[in-house]
């Protein structure tokens, strides 16, 4: 049975295309508050779990031993746009352990942010690994290795102590069994594990509340949430979902996009974790899906308006259509006071 249509794309008065998908809202006890589609099919969350992957850096005490602050923690959780502030933050983090861009093993790509990419090109420069959207996460891995007295070289390999710690944290928080059969390779070269949406949402509920986590890990999760709330511009960038929503709502919500149509979020005050996946990998669909769930369960309004029903314009700037929640997510624009 295929997943339901969760997002429609209109042009004029007609539906021009549609996105199918699945999603789950789960509490810290593992109770499913809402679900649609196949939430037990493993998916690769990719960058959506960067905050969980950052837990060892904080929980180990490396953050304090190295004198890292909120900006360092936030950039370690980022899928950034490659803006000057992002590059500077990743560089500064590496400098605290006497390392630099050459120590990053994430690869090189042009900044994700169009403005940043154009500015770099106008300057006649080429990107470095610091412009990679994952450079902050990788800087965190390098810092963790250095703080633990481990050679960071090869830190992307599954058997490296850094990735063993990251995989342990990801499995323990989500409750998913992770092994060679769930593992592939992410775009930034680290292991990418396939995890069901149910487990991802459960993991984010625990990340939101600390419930079911050892005291040190619960404290680390709280510290990561606080750092991201303090520095939301470092997590994504100008105009992007994670930065705009968390800048507006502060610690009331944690959101994190992933590649190929995955999006996760946490609602600490309600003790809920959210996870969605657009079947076709569409970022635009995943944003509408997670916005619909945040509105339905968090009761948020204006900060999510532009993301739940983004308009489509032609090359003359004329409005020609829009995206909208559909099927199980229909009616999400009617804002309730909390979970049903």
């Amino acid at each position: 049975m295929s997943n339901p249509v969760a997002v429609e794309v209109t042009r004029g008065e007609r539906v021009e295309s549609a996105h199918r998908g699945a999603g789950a809202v789960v509490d810290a006890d593992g109770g499913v508050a809402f679900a649609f589609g196949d939430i037990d099919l493993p998916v690769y969350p990719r960058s959506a779990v960067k905050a969980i992957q950052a837990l060892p850096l904080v929980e180990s005490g490396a953050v304090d031993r190295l004198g890292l602050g909120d900006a360092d923690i936030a950039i370690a959780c980022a899928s950034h746009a490659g803006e000057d502030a992002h590059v500077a933050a990743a560089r500064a983090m590496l400098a605290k352990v006497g390392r630099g861009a050459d120590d990053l093993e994430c690869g090189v790509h042009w900044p994700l942010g169009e403005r940043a990419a154009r500015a770099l090109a106008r300057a006649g420069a080429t990107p470095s690994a610091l412009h990679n959207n994952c450079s902050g996460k990788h800087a965190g891995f390098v810092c963790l290795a250095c703080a633990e007295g481990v050679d960071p070289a090869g830190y992307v390999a599954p058997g490296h102590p850094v990735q063993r710690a990251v995989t342990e944290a990801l499995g323990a928080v989500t409750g998913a069994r992770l092994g060679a059969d769930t593992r592939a390779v992410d775009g930034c070269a680290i292991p990418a594990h396939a995890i069901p949406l149910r487990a991802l949402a459960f993991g984010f509920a625990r990340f939101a509340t600390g419930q079911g986590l050892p005291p040190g890990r619960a404290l680390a999760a709280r510290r990561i949430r606080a750092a991201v709330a303090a520095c939301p511009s470092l997590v994504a960038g100008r105009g992007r979902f994670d930065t705009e929503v968390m800048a507006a709502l502060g610690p009331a919500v944690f959101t994190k996009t992933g590649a190929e149509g995955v999006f996760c979020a946490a609602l600490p005050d309600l003790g809920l974790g959210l996870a969605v996946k657009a079947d076709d990998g569409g970022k635009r669909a995943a944003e509408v899906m997670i916005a619909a769930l945040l509105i339905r369960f968090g009761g948020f309004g204006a900060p999510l308006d532009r993301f739940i029903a983004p308009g489509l314009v032609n090359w003359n700037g004329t409005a020609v259509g829009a995206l909208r929640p559909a099927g199980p997510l229909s009616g999400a624009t009617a804002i309730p006071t909390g979970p049903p």
Side-chain angles (χ1 to χ4, degrees):
M1 182 177 179
S2 61
N3 287 329
V5 171
V7 177
E8 293 176 336
V9 185
T10 66
R11 184 171 295 271
E13 299 301 316
R14 295 179 180 274
V15 174
E16 183 175 33
S17 59
H19 298 269
R20 295 182 179 273
V25 179
V26 178
D27 64 31
D29 292 317
V32 178
F34 180 75
F36 61 96
D38 186 353
I39 65 171
D40 292 314
L41 178 69
V43 304
Y44 293 112
R46 307 285 294 278
S47 290
V49 292
K50 281 180 176 174
I52 297 176
Q53 292 171 324
L55 282 169
L57 178 67
V58 182
E59 185 182 9
S60 67
V63 161
D64 293 322
R65 294 200 298 276
L66 299 176
L68 303 182
D70 285 348
D72 301 299
I73 296 173
I75 199 69
C77 299
S79 294
H80 63 70
E83 297 165 6
D84 289 346
H86 301 135
V87 172
R91 180 185 290 115
M93 190 179 187
L94 287 166
K96 291 178 180 177
V97 290
R99 300 284 178 161
D102 290 343
D103 293 289
L104 298 178
E105 300 180 14
C106 52
V108 178
H109 64 68
W110 283 87
L112 293 185
E114 184 177 352
R115 289 186 184 181
R118 289 180 179 274
L120 196 63
R122 279 198 303 269
T126 55
S128 74
L130 291 168
H131 293 93
N132 186 305
N133 78 99
C134 296
S135 67
K137 175 177 72 175
H138 283 249
F141 292 156
V142 171
C143 285
L144 175 59
C146 292
E148 296 293 288
V150 175
D151 185 353
Y155 67 82
V156 298
H160 192 279
V162 165
Q163 292 309 323
R164 290 205 301 268
V166 168
T167 298
E168 185 281 327
L170 185 57
V173 172
T174 62
R177 183 196 61 79
L178 306 182
D181 60 325
T182 66
R183 188 176 66 230
V185 182
D186 211 331
C188 66
I190 71 165
H193 285 276
I195 302 173
L197 290 173
R198 182 197 299 268
L200 287 172
F202 175 54
F204 273 85
R206 299 175 82 186
F207 179 79
T209 63
Q211 185 175 325
L213 303 181
R217 182 160 287 172
L219 182 62
R222 189 180 314 125
R223 189 166 179 182
I224 289 171
R225 297 197 317 271
V228 168
C231 306
S233 63
L234 291 179
V235 179
R238 185 186 296 110
R240 297 178 65 199
F241 188 110
D242 292 327
T243 287
E244 296 299 316
V245 171
M246 291 193 288
L249 299 174
V253 63
F254 174 87
T255 71
K256 187 65 190 71
T257 186
E260 296 299 326
V262 175
F263 221 119
C264 294
L267 296 174
D269 294 341
L270 297 175
L272 296 174
L274 293 66
V276 302
K277 162 73 173 173
D279 286 359
D280 60 5
K283 172 179 176 288
R284 67 178 187 176
E287 289 188 352
V288 171
M289 291 161 69
I290 203 71
L293 292 179
L294 287 170
I295 287 174
R296 180 175 295 187
F297 288 89
F300 304 122
L304 289 160
D305 285 349
R306 59 171 286 208
F307 296 107
I308 193 170
L312 301 177
V313 298
N314 65 14
W315 295 112
N316 291 321
T318 304
V320 296
L323 280 75
R324 67 189 183 195
L329 298 180
S330 296
T333 51
I335 302 171
T337 57

